[in-house]
Structures are given as structure tokens and as C-alpha cells.
Amino acid sequence: MRILVADDHDLVRDTIAAYLDGADVDEVRTVATLQDAVAMAKESGSFDLVLLDYNMPGMNGLEGLELMRAANSGRPVAILSGSATRDVASAALKAGAQGFIPKTLSARSLLSAARFMAAGEVYTPIDFMKPGRLDKESVLTRREQEVLRGICEGKANKEIARDLDLQEVTVKLHVKTLSRKLEARNRTHAAMIARDRGLA
């Protein structure tokens, strides 16, 4: 199975590529723009699955999906996003996307979803499509946002505590709380989500 991951954030792109490095994935290519994704599909042949970041340069909403599907010879193309709404996900599916992948998806689920879509099935996480989901980043406190910014800058809890004039144990508590709100599994995942949503 050959997969192309197109995302303009290095951390997100590399993390997803690492997630997809499963036993039955022969090759994972990565690019940072829609233009590069289209060019790679034309040069190297179509992929079994293309994952396109919804907010990537050149996408222009769902127009990029149509361009990529054509470049990939009609083979599966899915939308990847950490911030798109349920309405965007529904519109993407109606426009021919093979699936919609939230960036909060676990490594195991992402690999399963990739196999599912490459086999021609349409994938959407059931909990994402349920009405009434909260906009998670809107409930981060100012202090949590400051701690999150420190995490994105690669600082340790001790450094963040010194910068914000806090106790290290308080910073740890903030990290735990903001990770839960963002549905992040760890610090790296929290930073990945924050960068994708423009929170840091």
C-alpha cells in the first residue's frame, strides 16, 4: 500500500507518517502543499490513499480535493483536519472524499482507517459526526494557552514554570488539563493539535 500525506506542518506530517508506518504500508510519501501533492501523484503514479490537510496552502476549501482526486486517477483521497467542523466533513464526503480524519485520531485508529479507505470504503469517526461537539480550544483558559505556547516552543515544565512564575507542579496540572480538553495523548500531540488550529 502506498500512501501520500500532504500537510504544511512538519510536526503533523512527520507524526502521521510515523503512525502509518505499518506492516502492510510499503511506502509513505510526504509533501507540504497541494501543488506538491498533485505533482508527486503525476510523477510517481497514483497512490492507494492520499491524506490532504484541509487548511493546507492551495486547498481553497474543497477545490483542492477535486484537483487531487483527478491527479490521483480517481483513487481514494481523504481530508485530514484538526479544526474543520462537522459541516465541512459532511461537505467533503459529498464532494467525493474517501473519508474525514480528525488529527486527534489515535495511531492505531489512523492505520485502520487508512486500510479501510484504501480498500474503497468511506471512513468517518462516529463520535465526530455526532451533533453537539464542543469547540475545544474555546474553553482553554488564558494560563492553559500560555502553557501550551511553552510546550509548542519545546520547553520543559521547569522552564515553563520559570517563565510564567509558577510552581512546576502547577504547570504539570495545566498540561494534564489542556491535554484532556484538546483530546491530546501527550505533549507532542498537544503541540501538533495547537499548531494545526493556530493556537500557538
Side-chain angles (χ1 to χ4, degrees), residues 132-196:
R133 277 174 55 99
L134 291 174
D135 187 10
K136 296 288 191 305
E137 64 261 32
S138 68
V139 295
L140 287 185
T141 65
R142 181 178 59 81
R143 186 63 86 188
E144 285 165 355
Q145 289 172 351
E146 290 171 345
V147 171
L148 182 59
R149 197 171 300 120
I151 292 171
C152 290
E153 290 169 0
K155 293 178 179 176
N157 287 346
K158 188 179 290 185
E159 294 175 284
I160 296 171
R162 189 176 62 237
D163 290 348
L164 300 178
D165 197 23
L166 296 171
Q167 294 293 319
E168 188 176 349
V169 66
T170 305
V171 172
K172 284 181 181 176
L173 185 62
H174 283 310
V175 171
K176 187 176 180 181
T177 305
L178 69 86
S179 292
R180 188 181 71 245
K181 288 180 178 179
L182 293 173
E183 297 180 350
R185 293 179 300 283
N186 50 44
R187 295 167 69 93
T188 302
H189 193 209
M192 185 173 91
I193 293 168
R195 286 184 176 132
D196 179 62

Side-chain angles (χ1 to χ4, degrees), residues 1-90:
M1 182 163 61
R2 296 177 70 236
I3 297 176
L4 174 62
V5 180
D7 194 298
D8 60 322
H9 288 124
D10 294 350
L11 178 64
V12 175
R13 195 170 60 240
D14 294 345
T15 302
I16 290 171
Y19 282 178
L20 291 171
D21 192 17
D24 57 349
V25 180
D26 303 309
E27 181 184 6
V28 180
R29 297 271 194 107
T30 60
V31 292
T33 67
L34 175 66
Q35 186 178 8
D36 288 345
V38 168
M40 185 167 287
K42 287 178 177 175
E43 288 166 15
S44 70
S46 60
F47 289 83
D48 296 300
L49 176 66
V50 177
L51 297 178
L52 280 187
D53 176 33
Y54 179 69
N55 294 318
M56 183 175 55
M59 280 294 287
N60 196 19
L62 291 173
E63 286 181 21
L65 171 64
E66 191 176 338
L67 288 171
M68 191 68 239
R69 288 183 72 223
N72 203 45
S73 305
R75 298 178 79 187
V77 177
I79 293 293
L80 187 66
S81 179
S83 57
T85 63
R86 192 172 66 252
D87 290 342
V88 168
S90 297

